Amino acid sequence: MKSCGVSLATTATAFGDEKKMAAGKANDQRKDGSLSLTAEETEALGGLDSRLFGFLRCQEDGARTKTLLGKAVHCYESLILKAEGKVESDFFCQLGHFNLLLEDYPKALSAYQRYYSLQSDYWKNAAFLYGLGLVYFHYNAFHWAIKAFQEVLYVEPSFSRAKEIHLRLGLMFKVNTDYESSLKHFHLALIDDSPCTLSSVEIQFHIAHLYETQRKYHTAKEAYEQLLQTENLPAQVKATVLQQLGWMHHNIDLRGDQASKENYAIQYLQKSLEADPNSGQSWYFLGRCYSSIGKVQDAFISYRQSIDKSEASADTWCSIGVLYQQQNQPMDALQAYICAVQLDHRHAAAWMDLGSLYESCNQPQDAIKCYLNATRSESCSNISTLAGRMKFLQAQLCNVPQGSLQNKTKLLPSIEEAWSLPIPAELTSRQGAMNTAQQAYKTHHPNIESVLDLSQTPSSEQSLPVHTITSTQVDSLSSPAKRKRTSSPIKNSSEHQNSHPIDSNIPVQQKVHSCCLTPLKLQHLQELCTNRDNLNPAQKVMLAQLENQIVLMKQGLPKGQSLHLAGHNDEQPTFSTGRAQYLQAANTGIQKLTGHRTLPSNLVIQGAVLNHLSSQIGTSGGQQDIIFTKENKPSGNISLVPETNRHAGDTPNGSANVKELSYDVEQLMAEPVCSFNHGDCTSPNLIISDNPQISALLIGKANDSVGPGAYNKVSNIPPAIYTKTNNSGASSPFSAICTSTPSPKSTEQTTIYSFTSLNSPHSMLNRINGEGLEDSQSSKKTDLSIIRHQPGPQIIPSMSVSIYPSSTEVLKTCRNLSKNGLSNSQILLDKCPPPRPPTSPYPPLPKDKLNPPTPSIYLENKRDAFFPPLHQFCTNPKNPVTVIRGLAGALKLDLGLFSTKTLVEANNEHTVEVRTQLLQPADENWDPTGTKKIWRCENNRSHTTIAKYAQYQAASFQESLREENEKRTQHKECSDNVSTSSNSSERRRRGPFKTIKFGTNIDLSDEKKWKLQLRELTKLPAFVRVISAGNLLSHLGHTILGMNTVQLYMKVPGSRTPGHQENNNFCSVNINIGPGDCEWFVVPEDYWGVLNDFCEKNNLNFLMSSWWPNLEDLYEANVPVYRFIQRPGDLVWINAGTVHWVQAIGWCNNIAWNVGPLTAWQYKLAVERYEWNKLQSVKSVVPMVHLTWNMARNIKVSDPKLFEMIKYCLLKILKQCQTLREALITAGKKVIWHGRTNDEPAHYCSICEVEVFNLLFITKESNSQKTYKIHCQDCAEKTSSNLENFVVLEQYKIEDLMQVYDQFTIVSEFNMLLHYHSPLHDIAP
């Protein structure tokens, strides 16, 4: 879309008149009072964009530049107002850059989004994407920030701020618990020597901390200790590293005996405090260590130091409560626990300890209430134990007369009464002073905070723009202690309890006394004194304690001085050491990068995953795997709605729990910017300036929706949102050829086809996903402000063969680049837009179509198996899956060759990869506690041998027989005891789950070891064979285990293959050997974007994580699921891109491999996934560049669409090779001929894992040692900017590539049969 309005050149002239300047008449102020820019200022502004963010203050003229930026923003806004918004799109982009550099994030976001709505090829502007990513990062909208940063690296891998991007991606993935991705980006940041926000040692700390969060404690310990050896290590980093080492020694057995490890822990923590005496976290950890070895007094002192040095911590108060309880001071313990749960209503450990305290004081009703609150916490890991305890206490209450409970004197106040006890005065006064000081500091230093500072403000407590907050809200935000005084969760009331005002002039000593003996305590003391003669021993102890406190108050001594504590058991506080302790290092790093965050009043940010930054870092010994549900996860379907962060739960390290942003903030939010999944968009009405006209011009106006099926128009759709339409049906139109109709009640629905139905012509591709290879010059971006439902653009431009230039023309154009600059020739194809997942097809399927029948074909004889329409039917894109029934019988396959007995006899010591899993129902996936359904699938990896797994398989079968017999005898008894409670039906509970082992990825590629087995598979039809001329994977020229080789799977009931698409979207063949069955779940390819969104919502990586979809979620999202049973001898054909997951019903073995049909559909999806993998920084198992050149050498193509796609790829690769070669020669870098051998595999960069073709950058050291550590060009330049440490090896002569390119032409089907080459070997140049 072109803007017809004021251009930047016109703007420059309008801002300053060069003639007037030359005459000395230039003035910064016009006659009308508006500011203007001089020519010098305009020139200076031309070099300023988002890449300078964070580095302006490092420049000598940083202050002067910021003054100029402020002036430029004023001038730009004035011009926008005068031009009524009719200015070029680049104008808004520059305005966004200027506001970003001034850290005016609301204005920057609005200007960027306005640019996005006007610029059709916005993705070509890397500086824009980078700036937008920084804004999203600032607001903790990590989902969008990740997308923006990934697109920067995709369109411009050599971007000058690539290191900063990798750092921020590492931090965000760390917060999102995607540790593998985080580690990869941290390593990529570490090898880059360009300037960055964090230092190298700080990045190394994050890497060490990642190992710790993954429970790789010894690796983490080595990394921490190596970091301590660094010269001139900053004190803050040193203190934090020592703190982590100390906490690891306390929790993990790294040294041997208990006493030794505690000594090491204390030593490390004391050294940490020497480096940073003000670390409240180190004081807390030290207190925990002293408590564990019985040094109670030292523990109390450390805890008090922790409270004094840092913000309020629920963990610290919970630990103090445990110590008080152990010292038989129940009233003090009660007060400490109440402080903990008031700071964090969901602190499971504090609720459990408080319940235990009430139970020990014989107050079962209060204990039950506390236990119930503990079970409501997501961090509670022993719900079953608490449920049993509550049931026991309830039974006790039923046996006690009601009158005796009412007349009984309570040792402790009830939980409702205790809730009204004020938070200790020293806490509230300290908090108020601290927040005031921090706010004043941040006002003057908004972005300067130590990356590892442990006393940073939680994101939920960050301020909002003044013009959006009422006085009541300001008051509630200004005092964390006051805001935390919410109503008791016991009462289920929304009314806030009135907190007692604290007089700041009262001495600390008096405050301690008033806290220790409140009016409620005095009332309790009076009751005890009145009934002194009738008190039980516990009440007498309580009376003595209260009287002692009265004496201390009269003496004017702090209560702590009167403690003479003796006796301490080794029992640790029951709370875990960190539900999300792993987040602290990431959070603190992010805090340094973002500084204070001021949320725009109407900016809606989905999933503010960053929790409070004042929590701890330690991770050892705590709950590491956080299960995020759709209620508390950053959504893949971005609606940009802020959710409030709450204080860390039952963790000493503070929980980075991503639950919900404050309701005060939510009430201030305006309409959502856009819904990522459905495209519902409205204007966000961001406040751009005090002038509402400028605001309106920058934002644009929303239009009415266009028709019932269309979506609203918006002028500032986030760049993560795009238009994609799918016209293909979710399931094939099988009704006309269906020969039988299954029962609607049947779990498995199948459609059976006769062979007459297979004679229908092969349907053409009716939709294209993504834009992976789209020629951007031939495509025009759809106006995203009106999302229409129309066929998406094809990935390959529709062009005649004659438009492709010869290789000579390509090389000639490339050689002229350095002389004439960029040419307008179509030979130099433009960059491709970043690939994106497809949106859900429109219109959505009705609910009765979401369980479609599975296409199934029954074979009766060998002739049926080799009938050509069978191949056409299976590869038809409309059929996501096909079940070929009775294949083994029709072809007389000897499946016994793959039985466990035969495998043991053939190679009993062959390696088996084992996945340890939980036995669950096939259509459900529960968390380990069995309390809620989740997407994350438990999967731990190990290795064994075929013989050992065969023993396990047999033992599992025998055990199952015994269990079945026991169930039969106990069936009647169990059925009588089944609960019919409506409560239990609403909240179903599974578990405890049995652990099982799944033997997977057993390699059968060795023809010597598995000769009989592999020979048997040659009986299969050509289109499903492991090796065949029509199989693209047979043209690779080298082995990819499990893809163009056979793999075997040995299963017991419940063995799961989690949800996935095949590598690079290739087809898959799976044969069940038996004797048991397998249950399959299949989703068509055009819905993979929806599943990707669900994975992101559940903090899972669609490509790399282990996940098992919740069928209820898919049903609600209108995603069709094919569900069927695979019996022994059945072959399941998974079509290109189909998403599937499988569970074994019985004991069985399966064999599987991949196939690449020679179709345009298969090739397109493979290339799209190749590009998507590149965007996601995931290695592509299939090297598509290498494969494409081998295809051009080995085969002739008659399909015009497939030919155009292959020819297009060859053209791009040839251009890239020649351009890079010419650039190296021009720079004086010698290119050394190396050549290539037969069967040599494709090469990947050892750093970023992208495929490297032809020109290999090898470190000189590895080249001399013949180890060949390969780098891509970008990684090589980051490591050595002038490439002096690298040699460049060439594997193909450019003349050979030119010959292959020119000889690859389209042929007729008849001629193709005459010119077909052998596909089994790579042709060496």
Side-chain angles (χ1 to χ4, degrees), residues 260-434:
S260 175
K261 77 170 191 174
E262 290 299 342
N263 286 335
Y264 276 108
I266 292 174
Q267 289 176 20
Y268 277 122
L269 290 170
Q270 288 175 339
K271 289 179 181 178
S272 175
L273 288 170
E274 289 175 6
D276 181 12
N278 295 319
S279 172
Q281 193 54 52
S282 294
W283 281 112
Y284 170 72
F285 287 159
L286 187 59
R288 288 287 300 274
C289 292
Y290 282 137
S291 176
S292 66
I293 61 176
K295 294 186 176 181
V296 181
Q297 190 67 32
D298 291 335
F300 268 115
I301 294 173
S302 298
Y303 289 147
R304 290 294 174 177
Q305 287 279 6
S306 174
I307 292 176
D308 181 60
K309 301 293 184 183
S310 62
E311 294 185 13
S313 168
D315 300 324
T316 305
W317 281 106
C318 185
S319 297
I320 292 174
V322 171
L323 282 184
Y324 275 131
Q325 187 173 352
Q326 290 172 348
Q327 300 308 311
N328 197 22
Q329 295 176 245
M331 196 64 190
D332 295 318
L334 172 68
Q335 188 176 35
Y337 289 142
I338 290 295
C339 288
V341 295
Q342 285 181 342
L343 288 169
D344 182 1
H345 288 177
R346 295 172 181 262
H347 200 291
W351 281 117
M352 286 188 288
D353 291 335
L354 186 54
S356 174
L357 175 65
Y358 274 122
E359 192 174 349
S360 66
C361 293
N362 198 21
Q363 295 179 225
Q365 289 179 318
D366 294 308
I368 290 174
K369 295 175 184 178
C370 295
Y371 289 147
L372 184 61
N373 274 281
T375 60
R376 290 172 178 168
S377 171
E378 295 173 0
S379 60
C380 185
S381 58
N382 52 352
I383 295 178
S384 57
T385 304
L386 291 178
R389 194 65 195 163
M390 286 188 288
K391 193 173 182 180
F392 172 76
L393 293 175
Q394 194 67 43
Q396 278 189 336
L397 286 173
C398 293
N399 297 328
V400 176
Q402 187 173 2
S404 62
L405 286 175
Q406 295 175 350
N407 299 330
K408 185 176 180 181
T409 303
K410 294 182 179 180
L411 181 61
L412 293 176
S414 67
I415 183 62
E416 290 84 2
E417 295 170 337
W419 195 263
S420 63
L421 293 175
I423 290 182
E426 68 269 24
L427 172 64
T428 55
S429 61
R430 169 65 179 161
Q431 283 299 101
M434 179 179 298

Side-chain angles (χ1 to χ4, degrees), residues 232-278:
N232 302 321
L233 186 66
Q236 185 64 51
V237 178
K238 181 179 180 180
T240 310
V241 170
L242 291 168
Q243 173 186 296
Q244 289 305 107
L245 284 170
W247 190 238
M248 282 179 62
H249 278 83
H250 171 73
N251 287 285
I252 309 302
D253 189 6
L254 297 175
R255 292 287 183 177
D257 61 295
Q258 176 72 19
S260 175
K261 77 170 191 174
E262 290 299 342
N263 286 335
Y264 276 108
I266 292 174
Q267 289 176 20
Y268 277 122
L269 290 170
Q270 288 175 339
K271 289 179 181 178
S272 175
L273 288 170
E274 289 175 6
D276 181 12
N278 295 319

Side-chain angles (χ1 to χ4, degrees), residues 1279-1292:
T1279 306
S1280 176
S1281 56
N1282 55 6
L1283 298 177
E1284 62 181 357
N1285 296 328
F1286 287 86
V1287 296
V1288 182
L1289 304 183
E1290 186 176 29
Q1291 289 201 300
Y1292 297 95

Side-chain angles (χ1 to χ4, degrees), residues 1160-1171:
W1161 169 257
Q1162 173 64 88
Y1163 184 80
K1164 179 185 76 69
L1165 291 186
V1167 173
E1168 284 179 357
R1169 181 46 49 91
Y1170 181 85
E1171 296 299 317

